[in-house]
Amino acid sequence: MMQSPSHELGPPHEAMFLILPYLHLFELLSITQVCKSFRDALHHDILPWLNIVVDKPLNSRFSDDFLVKIMAKAKGRLRIIAMKNCFRITNDGLLQVITSNPHINKLYLQGCTSLTIEGVIGAVKLLTKANHRLKILAISGIYNVKIEDFQTLCHLMGINQMQMKNRKKNYYNTRCELYAFKQESDQPSIDVDICPKCGEIREVFDCPRNSCNTRIQQQRQQQNQVLMECRGCFLCVPRCEECGVCTKDDELGEAACTDILCLNCWLQLPKCSFCNKAYCNQHAYQQSLYPGGFLCSYCSFHATQSS
Amino acid sequence: MITLQSSDKDVFEIEQSILIQSGTIKNMVEDDFTFIPLPSVDTETLIKIIEYMKKHADKTDSKEKNIKEFDKDFMKKTLNELFALVFAANYLHISSLLELLYPSIADRIKDKITEAIRQIFSIRCDFTPEEERRIIMDNKWAHEGTEIEGTLD
């Protein structure tokens, strides 16, 4: 933890006010309560309220009512709204936000499982009329998205086949990076695609493995119609959690969490002293540490049971 | 070559091609300035800014991974150092550095409850008990359960 050398408490550093527009909603609400200057700054300044990012730990509590309450602070000028895994938000709530804020240009709705694709299409229709351009849309995790729905969305947002083919590689191990504040050029306009293997509308990942990419290039050069590329959704092509390579035919390392680890990554990760399983970096917090190593949660639990 | 002078009166000679990453410096160079005093940037911070710009001056694809590693390490600084960098990058209009700094600092208070934020930044609570009670009530819905879930780490 950081503390100033004198351990004296005082007013906040001025640079902190520059950070406010980059905080997620939970931290914004925590910081309003810190002291008067923050409370007043957030009351008077509209800028931090134009980009709303809701994820853990707020996502499970975020309902339509709170959504409407928060968005009112933007006075109709909301630009970015990101609601990751906000499973309580309904089509009605979404419609209310969009109707009052027609200038939204980035809409992230991953895991908002109470929304239907019809509701999303309705929202996108509102955001793509009259010269307004919705730049980014994220809908992975929303159920029952059909190919026609995907095509409708691409059409509304002005995404064509060429753009889809030429976009940046999408790797499985960097899929959770929330791009809300990053440049548009660093993100795809829509996060899902048609899986080349199963035809479902899901997040589709490329392979960082060199041999997979050389094979694709060779086949393209030979204009080989049978593309054996390993590009596909996670259900068709399981991937290593740490590096994103395809793992179908390979030997896997045993993971203490339920994730998949390729042998290379497994070799480099620390292992449980008892069962020799490794945690991926994201789940490393589940390690029960002791001097010299750790026990995974399973072994740690059984160690206490048997004493 | 352009000469920059920090608030501590130390001078640095740097190639123009590296410095134009700063919008502020770029404008001054276009107005034919070759000596640029920076009274709001101290030497320590200016050295770091120059280090950053040097690394980012060559943005070829092959260097991209290298640059990403550098950026990650570059952010491993104390909060006060990061704040000084924010001020400097803001004044110098180096948008790529700001885009790196803002989420890095925001990350330090990710998931933190109010009391934890006060401790991390050594901020004194200047609310009266009544004011504090009122503001907690206003935001009650957001912090429900944080007595159990919230962390001071």
Side-chain angles (χ1 to χ4, degrees):
Chain A
M1 279 227 291
M2 296 284 179
Q3 281 200 321
S4 61
S6 58
H7 291 271
E8 254 177 47
L9 299 179
H13 195 289
E14 287 165 50
M16 284 214 62
F17 294 90
L18 294 173
I19 308 294
L20 293 177
Y22 297 88
L23 295 180
H24 294 188
L25 187 60
F26 181 74
E27 289 79 36
L28 265 183
L29 296 172
S30 292
I31 223 174
T32 21
Q33 297 177 198
V34 165
C35 64
K36 283 185 184 170
S37 11
F38 280 136
R39 177 198 63 183
D40 296 340
L42 283 167
H43 187 69
H44 293 125
D45 195 358
I46 200 179
L47 203 60
W49 303 106
L50 299 184
N51 303 325
I52 302 292
V53 180
V54 186
D55 51 2
K56 284 196 303 186
L58 222 43
N59 64 306
S60 50
R61 296 195 275 274
F62 203 61
S63 64
D64 287 349
D65 288 338
F66 298 137
L67 173 62
V68 169
K69 202 170 166 182
I70 291 297
M71 81 166 173
K73 297 182 199 247
K75 300 200 176 28
R77 290 159 53 189
L78 204 54
R79 285 194 301 235
I80 299 177
I81 177 122
M83 298 191 282
K84 199 163 183 209
N85 297 324
C86 293
F87 48 78
R88 295 175 66 182
I89 300 296
T90 69
N91 287 340
D92 285 337
L94 180 63
L95 196 60
Q96 263 194 288
V97 182
I98 307 290
T99 336
S100 331
N101 294 279
H103 302 295
I104 293 172
N105 57 37
K106 293 189 194 176
L107 186 57
Y108 298 84
L109 302 169
Q110 303 103 312
C112 291
T113 49
S114 293
L115 295 178
T116 67
I117 188 62
E118 289 79 24
V120 174
I121 291 178
V124 174
K125 276 189 177 144
L126 284 178
L127 287 175
T128 50
K129 61 179 188 183
N131 285 335
H132 180 71
R133 209 186 122 223
L134 178 64
K135 295 181 192 160
I136 312 272
L137 177 68
I139 57 167
S140 58
I142 294 182
Y143 300 137
N144 299 326
V145 182
K146 304 198 181 41
I147 293 192
E148 305 84 65
D149 301 319
F150 175 68
Q151 287 166 340
T152 306
L153 286 170
C154 288
H155 176 75
L156 286 169
M157 291 177 65
I159 304 168
N160 56 38
Q161 282 296 335
M162 277 307 289
Q163 280 177 340
M164 292 297 276
K165 277 211 171 74
N166 291 332
R167 66 193 205 183
K168 266 180 103 174
K169 300 281 183 196
N170 185 27
Y171 294 128
Y172 180 69
N173 52 319
T174 52
R175 74 192 184 283
C176 289
E177 283 173 22
L178 194 56
Y179 287 95
F181 298 124
K182 288 199 182 167
Q183 297 275 13
E184 289 99 62
S185 50
D186 282 345
Q187 320 170 44
S189 311
I190 188 166
D191 65 334
V192 293
D193 200 351
I194 307 173
C195 174
K197 297 192 183 288
C198 65
E200 296 288 327
I201 305 298
R202 295 209 179 93
E203 278 183 290
V204 174
F205 301 104
D206 301 291
C207 199
R209 206 198 283 265
N210 282 332
S211 52
C212 292
N213 286 319
T214 354
R215 213 174 356 142
I216 296 169
Q217 280 166 15
Q218 282 171 354
Q219 284 169 345
R220 284 213 181 116
Q221 277 167 7
Q222 296 160 11
Q223 291 179 329
N224 193 331
Q225 288 303 314
V226 182
L227 277 179
M228 299 224 300
E229 55 181 306
C230 65
R231 190 171 175 270
C233 70
F234 185 72
L235 296 177
C236 294
V237 183
R239 295 187 177 277
C240 171
E241 192 69 28
E242 286 294 313
C243 66
V245 295
C246 53
T247 58
K248 238 187 174 166
D249 301 324
D250 297 342
E251 217 183 305
L252 299 175
E254 276 204 280
C257 45
T258 50
D259 297 314
I260 295 175
L261 289 171
C262 72
L263 206 55
N264 274 335
C265 291
W266 180 87
L267 286 168
Q268 290 172 37
L269 289 165
K271 323 264 187 302
C272 168
S273 308
F274 196 74
C275 64
N276 211 34
K277 292 185 185 172
Y279 277 113
C280 71
N281 278 318
Q282 255 202 18
H283 291 123
Y285 67 90
Q286 290 179 24
Q287 294 169 356
S288 288
L289 297 166
Y290 67 90
F294 74 89
L295 290 179
C296 70
S297 50
Y298 182 86
C299 295
S300 161
F301 175 74
H302 285 275
T304 56
Q305 292 295 73
S306 55
S307 51
Chain B
M1 295 288 270
I2 307 288
T3 308
L4 301 178
Q5 187 190 56
S6 72
S7 58
D8 306 310
K9 303 285 185 253
D10 290 312
V11 288
F12 301 86
E13 260 199 2
I14 316 284
E15 286 104 4
Q16 183 176 315
S17 56
I18 292 177
L19 292 180
I20 52 170
Q21 290 176 73
S22 152
T24 309
I25 296 180
K26 184 162 176 264
N27 284 337
M28 295 190 79
V29 161
E30 279 166 5
D31 287 339
D32 290 329
F33 283 92
T34 51
F35 176 82
I36 301 179
L38 301 169
S40 41
V41 187
D42 63 44
T43 301
E44 209 190 300
T45 308
L46 187 54
I47 290 176
K48 296 185 188 114
I49 298 266
I50 292 172
E51 189 195 346
Y52 176 87
M53 285 199 283
K54 277 189 172 158
K55 192 74 186 182
H56 279 251
D58 182 11
K59 275 204 161 110
T60 49
D61 275 336
S62 56
K63 294 247 163 80
E64 213 186 296
K65 197 176 177 193
N66 207 298
I67 290 179
K68 276 214 164 94
E69 292 280 331
F70 169 82
D71 284 349
K72 221 169 142 192
D73 280 328
F74 193 70
M75 287 299 117
K76 290 181 185 165
K77 296 189 170 19
T78 66
L79 272 175
N80 283 331
E81 288 175 313
L82 291 178
F83 283 144
L85 279 168
V86 165
F87 266 146
N90 196 33
Y91 170 71
L92 291 169
H93 280 99
I94 309 173
S95 44
S96 67
L97 179 53
L98 284 172
E99 270 175 37
L100 204 56
L101 284 166
Y102 289 143
S104 294
I105 299 180
D107 245 354
R108 306 240 175 153
I109 56 172
K110 185 91 183 66
D111 294 348
K112 300 290 185 286
I113 54 176
T114 309
E115 188 49 46
I117 297 177
R118 283 196 195 117
Q119 284 193 34
I120 293 171
F121 296 113
S122 303
I123 299 172
R124 191 175 16 98
C125 171
D126 53 359
F127 287 124
T128 64
E130 175 56 45
E131 285 173 327
E132 195 169 1
R133 221 192 328 251
R134 182 146 29 109
I135 203 166
I136 289 177
M137 278 306 293
D138 281 345
N139 294 314
K140 191 157 164 276
W141 66 273
H143 292 97
E144 263 170 58
T146 49
E147 306 83 51
I148 312 156
E149 289 173 30
T151 106
L152 285 178
D153 272 319

